[in-house]
Amino acid sequence: MPLQPLLPAATLAVNFAELKAPLHPQEAHVEASRCLYCFDAPCITACPTGIDIPAFIKKIAHDNTVGAARTILTANILGASCARVCPTSVLCEGACVLEARDEQPIQIGRLQRYATDYVQARGLTVLSAPAIKTGRKVAVIGAGPAGLGCAAALAQLGHHATIFEKQPQPGGLNTYGIAYYKLKPEVSLAEVELVKSLGVELRCGVTVGRDISLADLERDYSALFLGLGLGEAHRLRIPGEDLPEVRDALDFIEQLRTEPMANIPAGRAVAVIGCGNTAIDAATQALRLGADSATIIYRRSEDDMSAYEFEYELAKADGVEFLFHTAPVEVLATDGHVCGLRLCHTVTNADGKADLVPHSEFTQAFDLVLKAVGQEKQVALLKQLFPTLAVTTRGAIQRDPLTGQTNLPHIFTGGDCANGGREVVNAVGEGKKAAHAINQFLTGTTVTPPIQPSRLGAPSGATGSGLLHPIRAHELAAALIKS
Ligand code: SF4
């Protein structure tokens, strides 16, 4: 039977409501006041974009929410998305010193959301690009987190950045590929508006190599940044894979973000193949869409899965079932529609690979199969566009890890196409780092990072020990909190 929508819009609105509620102003103040405003704060080091966390938290505690948002967005232009989707328990909050004191870490993600929501909701302008421009132009390929991070930083350095994006909408994963209950597309698109407000030009629906040639880009722009992301989803390579109810989990997630949910055909018994964070997003959303069951099927063990522990716990709490050491060997069909999977137990061999166990096959009924077994690298596209660009044996673009510069000096890269697929915040950080390297490439200068109040060992007013005199420190801190 073809699949049908299962639940009315009103029920879906409840099911897909944001998982983490925003902080009330009073809660934000209480939480911000718990922070110790550590010197050399480990939470800053743990953040791939280096947000000055104690500084923005202190600003919230002092009722300077706009200043807090400015501190966040200066370091991470996608601070609103990252506040929602970052695995904070393994990044900033995981590093918070309060953990070592057996206290709850500061809820940095929720405070970050509080500040960035405040300015987004009021349409406040907190960032600006310099009035004097360098006259240098940079082409950014891809409007995902890496491309947006790079373009925003380039604009703030006075360069003209143009982003070329093949999708109709910008934002990449943040707009298309994350569970709706974690991040609504509107938040991602509002961040893109912030990037555009800095003077970044955005050209969506343009495929480089088809709508605009590389030769044109190299003629018109002084440097290129590649933020291409990853390619097509891997195939299962089993019989029945091309049946209509076998879908890529990312396409399923995208459909939930781009179409009215009440019109989306839903499975009643959903199988999700793979056990990364995308698999969890797909399974938990299949249940929210009305499925009676969602089962994650993984050929390895619970300890081997790439999903974060907190994602696993969320899925279990939602009622997702798990079949470990199990692999699909055939998609079964009746009258051309999926009716189940033929599965086989697996065992891990001496090389760490999961082998099928002979004579252990069994079948289980499913009416929708979602594939979440990773994405291809864009090696073919890269070779076609840039035949001399160096690519690693794993298909990622080879680059200097500190600058993102490739073997072609005018081409820089960052994000999933270079790191193989990491977090949104890693992509933003790599884009930003590459922008500073591009700036150096174009102008031969470096940019000194702004003073950070958690590192008050500044030369002006410093004592012989390298630390500020207490009076000078208070003056500086007061000025920074107000900014
Ligand atoms: Fe505040 Fe924790 Fe960061 Fe220290 S480590 S500044 S307590 S959030």
Side-chain angles (χ1 to χ4, degrees), residues 31-32 34-44 52-55 57 92-93 95-99 101 104-108 111 454:
E31 189 62 11
R34 288 205 307 126
C35 179
L36 304 178
Y37 314 120
C38 304
F39 181 79
D40 274 347
C43 54
I44 302 178
D52 193 335
I53 292 164
I57 293 180
C92 53
E93 291 174 20
C96 178
V97 295
L98 294 184
E99 277 240 281
R101 295 165 41 149
Q104 282 295 316
I106 300 295
Q107 298 180 66
I108 300 168
L111 286 171
S454 63

PDB file of all heavy atoms in Angstrom, residues 31-32 34-44 52-55 57 92-93 95-99 101 104-108 111 454, ligand 1:
ATOM      1  N   GLU A  31      20.831  31.856  35.906  1.00  0.00           N
ATOM      2  CA  GLU A  31      21.834  30.946  35.341  1.00  0.00           C
ATOM      3  C   GLU A  31      23.145  31.699  35.073  1.00  0.00           C
ATOM      4  O   GLU A  31      24.230  31.205  35.378  1.00  0.00           O
ATOM      5  CB  GLU A  31      21.287  30.324  34.040  1.00  0.00           C
ATOM      6  CG  GLU A  31      22.128  29.215  33.457  1.00  0.00           C
ATOM      7  CD  GLU A  31      22.264  28.005  34.375  1.00  0.00           C
ATOM      8  OE1 GLU A  31      21.555  27.911  35.390  1.00  0.00           O
ATOM      9  OE2 GLU A  31      23.121  27.149  34.072  1.00  0.00           O
ATOM     10  N   ALA A  32      23.030  32.911  34.514  1.00  0.00           N
ATOM     11  CA  ALA A  32      24.241  33.693  34.210  1.00  0.00           C
ATOM     12  C   ALA A  32      24.996  34.036  35.488  1.00  0.00           C
ATOM     13  O   ALA A  32      26.226  34.095  35.499  1.00  0.00           O
ATOM     14  CB  ALA A  32      23.856  34.959  33.450  1.00  0.00           C
ATOM     15  N   ARG A  34      25.397  32.231  38.031  1.00  0.00           N
ATOM     16  CA  ARG A  34      26.132  31.068  38.576  1.00  0.00           C
ATOM     17  C   ARG A  34      27.538  30.970  38.003  1.00  0.00           C
ATOM     18  O   ARG A  34      28.397  30.287  38.544  1.00  0.00           O
ATOM     19  CB  ARG A  34      25.388  29.763  38.238  1.00  0.00           C
ATOM     20  CG  ARG A  34      24.121  29.520  38.997  1.00  0.00           C
ATOM     21  CD  ARG A  34      23.793  28.025  39.067  1.00  0.00           C
ATOM     22  NE  ARG A  34      23.775  27.377  37.767  1.00  0.00           N
ATOM     23  CZ  ARG A  34      24.491  26.298  37.462  1.00  0.00           C
ATOM     24  NH1 ARG A  34      25.279  25.740  38.363  1.00  0.00           N
ATOM     25  NH2 ARG A  34      24.424  25.764  36.265  1.00  0.00           N
ATOM     26  N   CYS A  35      27.779  31.622  36.847  1.00  0.00           N
ATOM     27  CA  CYS A  35      29.064  31.490  36.157  1.00  0.00           C
ATOM     28  C   CYS A  35      30.185  32.099  37.005  1.00  0.00           C
ATOM     29  O   CYS A  35      29.991  33.123  37.665  1.00  0.00           O
ATOM     30  CB  CYS A  35      28.980  32.188  34.800  1.00  0.00           C
ATOM     31  SG  CYS A  35      30.508  32.122  33.856  1.00  0.00           S
ATOM     32  N   LEU A  36      31.350  31.474  36.972  1.00  0.00           N
ATOM     33  CA  LEU A  36      32.491  31.968  37.756  1.00  0.00           C
ATOM     34  C   LEU A  36      33.341  32.943  36.945  1.00  0.00           C
ATOM     35  O   LEU A  36      34.322  33.462  37.451  1.00  0.00           O
ATOM     36  CB  LEU A  36      33.357  30.778  38.198  1.00  0.00           C
ATOM     37  CG  LEU A  36      32.644  29.678  38.981  1.00  0.00           C
ATOM     38  CD1 LEU A  36      33.614  28.559  39.313  1.00  0.00           C
ATOM     39  CD2 LEU A  36      32.009  30.231  40.244  1.00  0.00           C
ATOM     40  N   TYR A  37      32.992  33.158  35.683  1.00  0.00           N
ATOM     41  CA  TYR A  37      33.746  34.056  34.781  1.00  0.00           C
ATOM     42  C   TYR A  37      35.240  33.730  34.857  1.00  0.00           C
ATOM     43  O   TYR A  37      36.079  34.583  35.160  1.00  0.00           O
ATOM     44  CB  TYR A  37      33.469  35.533  35.120  1.00  0.00           C
ATOM     45  CG  TYR A  37      31.997  35.813  35.313  1.00  0.00           C
ATOM     46  CD1 TYR A  37      31.493  36.299  36.512  1.00  0.00           C
ATOM     47  CD2 TYR A  37      31.076  35.542  34.281  1.00  0.00           C
ATOM     48  CE1 TYR A  37      30.134  36.516  36.683  1.00  0.00           C
ATOM     49  CE2 TYR A  37      29.719  35.754  34.455  1.00  0.00           C
ATOM     50  CZ  TYR A  37      29.258  36.240  35.656  1.00  0.00           C
ATOM     51  OH  TYR A  37      27.923  36.445  35.825  1.00  0.00           O
ATOM     52  N   CYS A  38      35.525  32.496  34.583  1.00  0.00           N
ATOM     53  CA  CYS A  38      36.887  31.984  34.775  1.00  0.00           C
ATOM     54  C   CYS A  38      37.921  32.733  33.935  1.00  0.00           C
ATOM     55  O   CYS A  38      37.653  33.109  32.794  1.00  0.00           O
ATOM     56  CB  CYS A  38      36.957  30.516  34.367  1.00  0.00           C
ATOM     57  SG  CYS A  38      35.784  29.480  35.223  1.00  0.00           S
ATOM     58  N   PHE A  39      39.090  32.870  34.490  1.00  0.00           N
ATOM     59  CA  PHE A  39      40.245  33.355  33.734  1.00  0.00           C
ATOM     60  C   PHE A  39      40.728  32.175  32.889  1.00  0.00           C
ATOM     61  O   PHE A  39      40.748  31.043  33.340  1.00  0.00           O
ATOM     62  CB  PHE A  39      41.343  33.805  34.713  1.00  0.00           C
ATOM     63  CG  PHE A  39      42.567  34.340  34.025  1.00  0.00           C
ATOM     64  CD1 PHE A  39      42.588  35.624  33.519  1.00  0.00           C
ATOM     65  CD2 PHE A  39      43.686  33.532  33.870  1.00  0.00           C
ATOM     66  CE1 PHE A  39      43.714  36.108  32.873  1.00  0.00           C
ATOM     67  CE2 PHE A  39      44.810  34.012  33.227  1.00  0.00           C
ATOM     68  CZ  PHE A  39      44.829  35.299  32.727  1.00  0.00           C
ATOM     69  N   ASP A  40      41.095  32.431  31.629  1.00  0.00           N
ATOM     70  CA  ASP A  40      41.485  31.346  30.709  1.00  0.00           C
ATOM     71  C   ASP A  40      40.432  30.242  30.725  1.00  0.00           C
ATOM     72  O   ASP A  40      40.738  29.062  30.916  1.00  0.00           O
ATOM     73  CB  ASP A  40      42.856  30.765  31.085  1.00  0.00           C
ATOM     74  CG  ASP A  40      43.973  31.566  30.435  1.00  0.00           C
ATOM     75  OD1 ASP A  40      43.666  32.369  29.526  1.00  0.00           O
ATOM     76  OD2 ASP A  40      45.124  31.395  30.845  1.00  0.00           O
ATOM     77  N   ALA A  41      39.194  30.635  30.537  1.00  0.00           N
ATOM     78  CA  ALA A  41      38.063  29.717  30.697  1.00  0.00           C
ATOM     79  C   ALA A  41      38.150  28.527  29.731  1.00  0.00           C
ATOM     80  O   ALA A  41      38.297  28.723  28.526  1.00  0.00           O
ATOM     81  CB  ALA A  41      36.767  30.472  30.464  1.00  0.00           C
ATOM     82  N   PRO A  42      38.059  27.306  30.260  1.00  0.00           N
ATOM     83  CA  PRO A  42      38.133  26.127  29.386  1.00  0.00           C
ATOM     84  C   PRO A  42      36.962  26.041  28.408  1.00  0.00           C
ATOM     85  O   PRO A  42      37.067  25.415  27.363  1.00  0.00           O
ATOM     86  CB  PRO A  42      38.131  24.946  30.368  1.00  0.00           C
ATOM     87  CG  PRO A  42      37.597  25.489  31.649  1.00  0.00           C
ATOM     88  CD  PRO A  42      37.932  26.935  31.686  1.00  0.00           C
ATOM     89  N   CYS A  43      35.835  26.676  28.761  1.00  0.00           N
ATOM     90  CA  CYS A  43      34.677  26.628  27.860  1.00  0.00           C
ATOM     91  C   CYS A  43      34.987  27.353  26.552  1.00  0.00           C
ATOM     92  O   CYS A  43      34.496  26.964  25.487  1.00  0.00           O
ATOM     93  CB  CYS A  43      33.441  27.223  28.534  1.00  0.00           C
ATOM     94  SG  CYS A  43      33.696  28.886  29.180  1.00  0.00           S
ATOM     95  N   ILE A  44      35.831  28.398  26.604  1.00  0.00           N
ATOM     96  CA  ILE A  44      36.194  29.117  25.366  1.00  0.00           C
ATOM     97  C   ILE A  44      37.040  28.206  24.480  1.00  0.00           C
ATOM     98  O   ILE A  44      36.810  28.085  23.278  1.00  0.00           O
ATOM     99  CB  ILE A  44      37.001  30.408  25.672  1.00  0.00           C
ATOM    100  CG1 ILE A  44      36.217  31.340  26.576  1.00  0.00           C
ATOM    101  CG2 ILE A  44      37.379  31.115  24.367  1.00  0.00           C
ATOM    102  CD1 ILE A  44      36.977  32.609  26.951  1.00  0.00           C
ATOM    103  N   ASP A  52      33.774  34.130  23.360  1.00  0.00           N
ATOM    104  CA  ASP A  52      34.184  34.517  24.712  1.00  0.00           C
ATOM    105  C   ASP A  52      32.980  34.301  25.633  1.00  0.00           C
ATOM    106  O   ASP A  52      32.202  35.221  25.915  1.00  0.00           O
ATOM    107  CB  ASP A  52      34.655  35.974  24.735  1.00  0.00           C
ATOM    108  CG  ASP A  52      35.381  36.276  26.036  1.00  0.00           C
ATOM    109  OD1 ASP A  52      35.119  35.579  27.045  1.00  0.00           O
ATOM    110  OD2 ASP A  52      36.219  37.186  26.046  1.00  0.00           O
ATOM    111  N   ILE A  53      32.859  33.083  26.094  1.00  0.00           N
ATOM    112  CA  ILE A  53      31.662  32.662  26.834  1.00  0.00           C
ATOM    113  C   ILE A  53      31.489  33.414  28.156  1.00  0.00           C
ATOM    114  O   ILE A  53      30.416  33.963  28.425  1.00  0.00           O
ATOM    115  CB  ILE A  53      31.664  31.117  26.988  1.00  0.00           C
ATOM    116  CG1 ILE A  53      31.449  30.494  25.607  1.00  0.00           C
ATOM    117  CG2 ILE A  53      30.609  30.648  27.989  1.00  0.00           C
ATOM    118  CD1 ILE A  53      31.799  29.033  25.500  1.00  0.00           C
ATOM    119  N   PRO A  54      32.535  33.495  29.007  1.00  0.00           N
ATOM    120  CA  PRO A  54      32.321  34.247  30.252  1.00  0.00           C
ATOM    121  C   PRO A  54      31.936  35.691  29.998  1.00  0.00           C
ATOM    122  O   PRO A  54      31.138  36.272  30.751  1.00  0.00           O
ATOM    123  CB  PRO A  54      33.663  34.135  30.990  1.00  0.00           C
ATOM    124  CG  PRO A  54      34.620  33.508  30.050  1.00  0.00           C
ATOM    125  CD  PRO A  54      33.846  32.833  28.967  1.00  0.00           C
ATOM    126  N   ALA A  55      32.463  36.279  28.912  1.00  0.00           N
ATOM    127  CA  ALA A  55      32.129  37.694  28.630  1.00  0.00           C
ATOM    128  C   ALA A  55      30.653  37.830  28.288  1.00  0.00           C
ATOM    129  O   ALA A  55      29.972  38.715  28.811  1.00  0.00           O
ATOM    130  CB  ALA A  55      32.990  38.210  27.478  1.00  0.00           C
ATOM    131  N   ILE A  57      28.217  35.788  29.034  1.00  0.00           N
ATOM    132  CA  ILE A  57      27.372  35.422  30.178  1.00  0.00           C
ATOM    133  C   ILE A  57      27.335  36.584  31.180  1.00  0.00           C
ATOM    134  O   ILE A  57      26.286  36.918  31.734  1.00  0.00           O
ATOM    135  CB  ILE A  57      27.876  34.115  30.837  1.00  0.00           C
ATOM    136  CG1 ILE A  57      27.675  32.937  29.865  1.00  0.00           C
ATOM    137  CG2 ILE A  57      27.148  33.857  32.142  1.00  0.00           C
ATOM    138  CD1 ILE A  57      28.142  31.597  30.392  1.00  0.00           C
ATOM    139  N   CYS A  92      31.479  23.099  25.043  1.00  0.00           N
ATOM    140  CA  CYS A  92      31.647  24.110  26.098  1.00  0.00           C
ATOM    141  C   CYS A  92      31.153  23.650  27.469  1.00  0.00           C
ATOM    142  O   CYS A  92      31.851  23.795  28.478  1.00  0.00           O
ATOM    143  CB  CYS A  92      30.958  25.402  25.681  1.00  0.00           C
ATOM    144  SG  CYS A  92      29.230  25.191  25.207  1.00  0.00           S
ATOM    145  N   GLU A  93      29.941  23.092  27.508  1.00  0.00           N
ATOM    146  CA  GLU A  93      29.390  22.706  28.820  1.00  0.00           C
ATOM    147  C   GLU A  93      30.149  21.518  29.398  1.00  0.00           C
ATOM    148  O   GLU A  93      30.287  21.374  30.613  1.00  0.00           O
ATOM    149  CB  GLU A  93      27.892  22.397  28.688  1.00  0.00           C
ATOM    150  CG  GLU A  93      27.099  23.655  28.398  1.00  0.00           C
ATOM    151  CD  GLU A  93      25.625  23.407  28.121  1.00  0.00           C
ATOM    152  OE1 GLU A  93      25.097  22.350  28.509  1.00  0.00           O
ATOM    153  OE2 GLU A  93      24.986  24.290  27.501  1.00  0.00           O
ATOM    154  N   ALA A  95      33.224  21.187  29.199  1.00  0.00           N
ATOM    155  CA  ALA A  95      34.498  21.702  29.722  1.00  0.00           C
ATOM    156  C   ALA A  95      34.299  22.610  30.926  1.00  0.00           C
ATOM    157  O   ALA A  95      35.276  23.027  31.559  1.00  0.00           O
ATOM    158  CB  ALA A  95      35.222  22.471  28.621  1.00  0.00           C
ATOM    159  N   CYS A  96      33.056  22.933  31.254  1.00  0.00           N
ATOM    160  CA  CYS A  96      32.788  23.903  32.338  1.00  0.00           C
ATOM    161  C   CYS A  96      33.384  23.399  33.665  1.00  0.00           C
ATOM    162  O   CYS A  96      33.185  22.248  34.047  1.00  0.00           O
ATOM    163  CB  CYS A  96      31.276  24.118  32.475  1.00  0.00           C
ATOM    164  SG  CYS A  96      30.841  25.234  33.812  1.00  0.00           S
ATOM    165  N   VAL A  97      34.076  24.298  34.362  1.00  0.00           N
ATOM    166  CA  VAL A  97      34.759  23.906  35.602  1.00  0.00           C
ATOM    167  C   VAL A  97      33.782  23.451  36.690  1.00  0.00           C
ATOM    168  O   VAL A  97      34.178  22.754  37.621  1.00  0.00           O
ATOM    169  CB  VAL A  97      35.628  25.062  36.160  1.00  0.00           C
ATOM    170  CG1 VAL A  97      36.760  25.393  35.213  1.00  0.00           C
ATOM    171  CG2 VAL A  97      34.787  26.289  36.457  1.00  0.00           C
ATOM    172  N   LEU A  98      32.529  23.845  36.569  1.00  0.00           N
ATOM    173  CA  LEU A  98      31.574  23.451  37.607  1.00  0.00           C
ATOM    174  C   LEU A  98      31.362  21.944  37.647  1.00  0.00           C
ATOM    175  O   LEU A  98      31.021  21.389  38.688  1.00  0.00           O
ATOM    176  CB  LEU A  98      30.239  24.173  37.395  1.00  0.00           C
ATOM    177  CG  LEU A  98      30.277  25.688  37.570  1.00  0.00           C
ATOM    178  CD1 LEU A  98      28.880  26.281  37.442  1.00  0.00           C
ATOM    179  CD2 LEU A  98      30.857  26.063  38.932  1.00  0.00           C
ATOM    180  N   GLU A  99      31.571  21.291  36.515  1.00  0.00           N
ATOM    181  CA  GLU A  99      31.431  19.822  36.463  1.00  0.00           C
ATOM    182  C   GLU A  99      32.388  19.178  37.455  1.00  0.00           C
ATOM    183  O   GLU A  99      32.032  18.235  38.160  1.00  0.00           O
ATOM    184  CB  GLU A  99      31.743  19.319  35.048  1.00  0.00           C
ATOM    185  CG  GLU A  99      30.583  19.412  34.098  1.00  0.00           C
ATOM    186  CD  GLU A  99      30.169  18.062  33.535  1.00  0.00           C
ATOM    187  OE1 GLU A  99      30.825  17.584  32.613  1.00  0.00           O
ATOM    188  OE2 GLU A  99      29.168  17.515  34.040  1.00  0.00           O
ATOM    189  N   ARG A 101      33.389  20.310  40.081  1.00  0.00           N
ATOM    190  CA  ARG A 101      32.948  20.572  41.467  1.00  0.00           C
ATOM    191  C   ARG A 101      31.636  19.867  41.767  1.00  0.00           C
ATOM    192  O   ARG A 101      30.938  20.200  42.720  1.00  0.00           O
ATOM    193  CB  ARG A 101      32.787  22.078  41.670  1.00  0.00           C
ATOM    194  CG  ARG A 101      34.105  22.810  41.548  1.00  0.00           C
ATOM    195  CD  ARG A 101      33.968  24.300  41.370  1.00  0.00           C
ATOM    196  NE  ARG A 101      32.946  24.922  42.186  1.00  0.00           N
ATOM    197  CZ  ARG A 101      33.008  26.173  42.645  1.00  0.00           C
ATOM    198  NH1 ARG A 101      34.061  26.906  42.381  1.00  0.00           N
ATOM    199  NH2 ARG A 101      32.032  26.674  43.341  1.00  0.00           N
ATOM    200  N   GLN A 104      26.074  21.278  38.393  1.00  0.00           N
ATOM    201  CA  GLN A 104      25.602  21.322  37.008  1.00  0.00           C
ATOM    202  C   GLN A 104      26.425  22.349  36.234  1.00  0.00           C
ATOM    203  O   GLN A 104      26.615  23.467  36.724  1.00  0.00           O
ATOM    204  CB  GLN A 104      24.131  21.759  36.979  1.00  0.00           C
ATOM    205  CG  GLN A 104      23.153  20.670  37.346  1.00  0.00           C
ATOM    206  CD  GLN A 104      23.162  19.533  36.331  1.00  0.00           C
ATOM    207  OE1 GLN A 104      23.181  19.780  35.140  1.00  0.00           O
ATOM    208  NE2 GLN A 104      23.180  18.313  36.819  1.00  0.00           N
ATOM    209  N   PRO A 105      26.939  21.997  35.048  1.00  0.00           N
ATOM    210  CA  PRO A 105      27.631  23.025  34.267  1.00  0.00           C
ATOM    211  C   PRO A 105      26.679  24.145  33.897  1.00  0.00           C
ATOM    212  O   PRO A 105      25.461  23.954  33.874  1.00  0.00           O
ATOM    213  CB  PRO A 105      28.092  22.260  33.023  1.00  0.00           C
ATOM    214  CG  PRO A 105      27.234  21.050  32.943  1.00  0.00           C
ATOM    215  CD  PRO A 105      26.829  20.717  34.343  1.00  0.00           C
ATOM    216  N   ILE A 106      27.238  25.306  33.620  1.00  0.00           N
ATOM    217  CA  ILE A 106      26.405  26.431  33.171  1.00  0.00           C
ATOM    218  C   ILE A 106      25.730  26.024  31.858  1.00  0.00           C
ATOM    219  O   ILE A 106      26.350  25.435  30.975  1.00  0.00           O
ATOM    220  CB  ILE A 106      27.286  27.684  32.935  1.00  0.00           C
ATOM    221  CG1 ILE A 106      27.999  28.090  34.228  1.00  0.00           C
ATOM    222  CG2 ILE A 106      26.454  28.839  32.376  1.00  0.00           C
ATOM    223  CD1 ILE A 106      27.110  28.558  35.345  1.00  0.00           C
ATOM    224  N   GLN A 107      24.458  26.383  31.720  1.00  0.00           N
ATOM    225  CA  GLN A 107      23.728  26.053  30.486  1.00  0.00           C
ATOM    226  C   GLN A 107      24.103  27.067  29.396  1.00  0.00           C
ATOM    227  O   GLN A 107      23.324  27.959  29.055  1.00  0.00           O
ATOM    228  CB  GLN A 107      22.230  26.068  30.744  1.00  0.00           C
ATOM    229  CG  GLN A 107      21.785  25.025  31.777  1.00  0.00           C
ATOM    230  CD  GLN A 107      20.291  25.091  31.997  1.00  0.00           C
ATOM    231  OE1 GLN A 107      19.503  24.800  31.096  1.00  0.00           O
ATOM    232  NE2 GLN A 107      19.898  25.476  33.177  1.00  0.00           N
ATOM    233  N   ILE A 108      25.291  26.892  28.877  1.00  0.00           N
ATOM    234  CA  ILE A 108      25.847  27.881  27.943  1.00  0.00           C
ATOM    235  C   ILE A 108      24.987  27.962  26.670  1.00  0.00           C
ATOM    236  O   ILE A 108      24.695  29.052  26.174  1.00  0.00           O
ATOM    237  CB  ILE A 108      27.314  27.526  27.606  1.00  0.00           C
ATOM    238  CG1 ILE A 108      28.162  27.524  28.881  1.00  0.00           C
ATOM    239  CG2 ILE A 108      27.883  28.497  26.567  1.00  0.00           C
ATOM    240  CD1 ILE A 108      29.541  26.914  28.726  1.00  0.00           C
ATOM    241  N   LEU A 111      21.826  29.895  27.305  1.00  0.00           N
ATOM    242  CA  LEU A 111      22.106  31.335  27.487  1.00  0.00           C
ATOM    243  C   LEU A 111      22.451  31.970  26.139  1.00  0.00           C
ATOM    244  O   LEU A 111      22.045  33.099  25.851  1.00  0.00           O
ATOM    245  CB  LEU A 111      23.255  31.527  28.483  1.00  0.00           C
ATOM    246  CG  LEU A 111      22.898  31.262  29.948  1.00  0.00           C
ATOM    247  CD1 LEU A 111      24.148  31.269  30.817  1.00  0.00           C
ATOM    248  CD2 LEU A 111      21.898  32.307  30.468  1.00  0.00           C
ATOM    249  N   SER A 454      38.179  37.675  29.378  1.00  0.00           N
ATOM    250  CA  SER A 454      38.625  36.553  30.196  1.00  0.00           C
ATOM    251  C   SER A 454      40.144  36.432  30.134  1.00  0.00           C
ATOM    252  O   SER A 454      40.728  35.624  30.814  1.00  0.00           O
ATOM    253  CB  SER A 454      37.997  35.272  29.710  1.00  0.00           C
ATOM    254  OG  SER A 454      38.434  35.013  28.411  1.00  0.00           O
TER     255      SER A 454
HETATM  256 FE1  SF4 B   1      31.503  30.056  33.379  1.00  0.00          FE
HETATM  257 FE2  SF4 B   1      31.860  27.370  33.285  1.00  0.00          FE
HETATM  258 FE3  SF4 B   1      32.980  28.896  31.396  1.00  0.00          FE
HETATM  259 FE4  SF4 B   1      33.908  28.999  33.923  1.00  0.00          FE
HETATM  260  S1  SF4 B   1      34.020  27.232  32.531  1.00  0.00           S
HETATM  261  S2  SF4 B   1      33.506  30.745  32.556  1.00  0.00           S
HETATM  262  S3  SF4 B   1      32.014  28.678  35.106  1.00  0.00           S
HETATM  263  S4  SF4 B   1      30.777  28.636  31.805  1.00  0.00           S
END
